[in-house]
Amino acid sequence: MSQESLLAYIKKLYGVKDDIQKQLQDKKETGTGADKMSGTDFEKVVYDSLIEAGFEKDSITHSAQKFPDFVLEDKEDGDKLGVEVKKTDSDKWEVIGGSIYESLKNDIDDTYIIMAKMGGEKPEVRLRKYEECIAGLKVTHSPRFYLNMDLEEGEDYLTKNDAKDLLELSGDELNRKIRKLLRTQKSTWWSEGETVAFSDLTKEEKGLYLNDGIALFPEVFKGDYRNFTPWLVYSCYVWCGNVRDIFSAGGNRFVDELGIYVSAVMYRALENVLSIRQRIIDMTDEEMQKFWGKVAENDTDRMSLWLSLVEENIRFSFELIQNNRKVSKFSNCDDAEMCLQIKNKYMHELEKRISME
């Protein structure tokens, strides 16, 4: 749609918005049903106002089952503009939007939302570009957009999470993007066959979940996966038949600069420390409280807290002890002294690497 045509359509839509707001306020003042208006009733009000504003009937496609509710088509050039209709009975400009799996484009140039807020002193109606109102993702039976008409410019979810491409994706690419976005959100579940096997993920995706596990669940350093496993399934929709292998595959590794053997998870933490550091920085307060049991306010305190949790959870297997027995420096140490030296060397190196700016 040309810029000129788009501006003309939007100008007419603002007129529709003003007309609807006046209608709803008049209905409330006269007590003629505004408080009892259903979503279907409100769609009828929008449709009548579109006709009143000069949109031809044959240029309007209305569907109660598909997104968006109305498609306005310019019959001369075939350009289309979508209008999604929402109503809330509360006094907030917030509402659950459509499923992420409904394409926001649908061969439509742009989609706008007309929302009526019925709560408060009097009804109000707003018009705004749909994607500018996306405040987050919610999961009921499937992932859905959460809308907030009060968002400041640039504060929408897609902009803040560098996820504008979400509107263009489909199939496996879309599912991968959703899983990546939902990694930092609270545990939720939907049962529409979107769960994927860990073995089917890309190498990059596998690395993301490995680093997440090390950052969020320091207890994996002692082989405890009781918190990581449900998080992987219910938050990330990833199923793994042998979670232990994510962290321990490959066995013990020798770290040349330290001159010691370390477990696979200890080695992976060293190798991926910068990504783990960033994940710790990005943790929400909700995640910290839930997974760490306390909240650290700044980045430095977060790193210190994580390091203390790692040190607390490190365990040495019989195999690891036996491997380090081969190292000459430990020839005169008993097991307890050797393990203490290994832990101290490792934690010093981990702290040094994660503290690098």
Side-chain angles (χ1 to χ4, degrees):
M1 181 175 288
S2 69
Q3 188 68 17
E4 184 178 351
S5 297
L6 177 61
L7 291 175
Y9 268 65
I10 295 173
K11 182 177 180 180
K12 289 173 74 172
L13 284 176
Y14 271 104
V16 169
K17 184 268 295 184
D18 292 339
D19 177 62
I20 294 171
Q21 179 168 282
K22 186 176 186 308
Q23 287 186 57
L24 296 182
Q25 290 178 356
D26 288 345
K27 283 179 178 290
K28 183 161 187 177
E29 286 180 8
T30 58
T32 54
D35 294 336
K36 299 179 180 179
M37 183 177 292
S38 67
T40 301
D41 293 333
F42 183 54
E43 285 187 23
K44 178 65 165 57
V45 170
V46 173
Y47 177 77
D48 290 342
S49 294
L50 288 170
I51 297 298
E52 184 68 25
F55 289 98
E56 299 291 336
K57 287 185 178 181
D58 64 354
S59 70
I60 303 174
T61 301
H62 176 221
S63 173
Q65 305 300 321
K66 295 181 179 181
F67 177 92
D69 296 301
F70 294 97
V71 176
L72 310 177
E73 183 177 2
D74 187 321
K75 293 298 183 179
E76 291 186 7
D77 57 24
D79 291 331
K80 299 176 182 178
L81 193 71
V83 178
E84 178 72 353
V85 176
K86 292 293 180 183
K87 181 186 78 75
T88 175
D89 293 321
S90 75
D91 193 24
K92 295 182 179 180
W93 291 101
E94 301 173 10
V95 68
I96 294 293
S99 169
I100 296 172
Y101 292 104
E102 298 169 331
S103 171
L104 282 183
K105 293 302 180 183
N106 287 336
D107 297 322
I108 295 170
D109 293 276
D110 266 318
T111 298
Y112 283 75
I113 179 172
I114 288 181
M115 185 186 294
K117 179 173 72 68
M118 307 304 288
E121 187 176 337
K122 59 184 179 180
E124 295 180 65
V125 179
R126 287 183 182 176
L127 172 75
R128 195 171 180 185
K129 200 171 183 178
Y130 191 93
E131 62 189 71
E132 294 177 354
C133 304
I134 298 174
L137 305 183
K138 301 284 185 179
V139 179
T140 51
H141 64 285
S142 68
R144 306 177 75 84
F145 288 122
Y146 184 69
L147 307 176
N148 184 349
M149 298 284 277
D150 264 338
L151 290 181
E152 298 289 336
E153 184 177 354
E155 288 298 306
D156 64 277
Y157 182 83
L158 301 183
T159 299
K160 290 175 67 176
N161 289 276
D162 191 26
K164 290 289 188 179
D165 59 338
L166 186 68
L167 310 185
E168 312 290 346
L169 301 178
S170 61
D172 290 341
E173 286 186 313
L174 178 58
N175 289 332
R176 282 196 293 269
K177 187 71 173 185
I178 292 171
R179 287 194 297 272
K180 184 175 182 180
L181 289 170
L182 290 175
R183 281 165 51 230
T184 60
Q185 296 194 0
K186 62 183 180 181
S187 296
T188 48
W189 173 254
W190 87 91
S191 55
E192 294 188 350
E194 302 302 339
T195 315
V196 66
F198 187 83
S199 59
D200 291 337
L201 298 177
T202 65
K203 182 178 180 180
E204 179 185 11
E205 285 186 298
K206 289 177 180 178
L208 284 173
Y209 296 123
L210 165 69
N211 294 337
D212 280 1
I214 293 174
L216 272 62
F217 307 99
E219 63 269 21
V220 300
F221 280 86
K222 64 179 180 183
D224 183 350
Y225 313 118
R226 289 174 294 177
N227 295 317
F228 173 79
T229 300
W231 173 85
L232 185 68
V233 176
Y234 295 116
S235 287
C236 307
Y237 319 113
V238 175
W239 168 255
C240 183
N242 192 350
V243 171
R244 180 178 179 274
D245 282 352
I246 297 176
F247 303 96
S248 64
N252 299 163
R253 301 287 294 270
F254 189 76
V255 182
D256 291 328
E257 55 264 55
L258 298 181
I260 60 173
Y261 285 91
V262 298
S263 67
V265 66
M266 292 166 70
Y267 184 82
R268 290 185 171 105
L270 290 175
E271 290 296 289
N272 300 297
V273 70
L274 295 182
S275 296
I276 293 167
R277 171 188 168 83
Q278 189 58 52
R279 185 62 178 89
I280 293 170
I281 291 172
D282 292 340
M283 283 179 72
T284 65
D285 288 351
E286 180 186 22
E287 284 180 318
M288 271 189 285
Q289 186 61 54
K290 182 176 181 179
F291 302 136
W292 291 0
K294 61 180 69 175
V295 176
E297 296 299 327
N298 57 57
D299 293 349
T300 300
D301 289 345
R302 288 184 178 208
M303 299 309 151
S304 296
L305 177 55
W306 180 77
L307 287 166
S308 69
L309 291 171
V310 170
E311 185 171 13
E312 177 184 318
N313 281 284
I314 284 179
R315 297 291 185 274
F316 298 102
S317 67
F318 176 78
E319 180 185 6
L320 183 60
I321 291 174
Q322 291 302 109
N323 281 332
N324 277 293
R325 275 279 164 230
K326 303 171 186 176
V327 180
S328 60
K329 72 174 71 176
F330 298 129
S331 58
N332 295 321
C333 298
D334 59 25
D335 286 355
E337 176 61 25
M338 180 178 68
C339 289
L340 180 60
Q341 288 190 39
I342 294 169
K343 179 183 283 191
N344 288 340
K345 283 179 176 292
Y346 177 78
M347 291 306 305
H348 181 267
E349 181 67 17
L350 185 62
E351 181 177 6
K352 181 178 73 173
R353 294 193 189 189
I354 206 166
S355 299
M356 292 176 62
E357 297 297 336

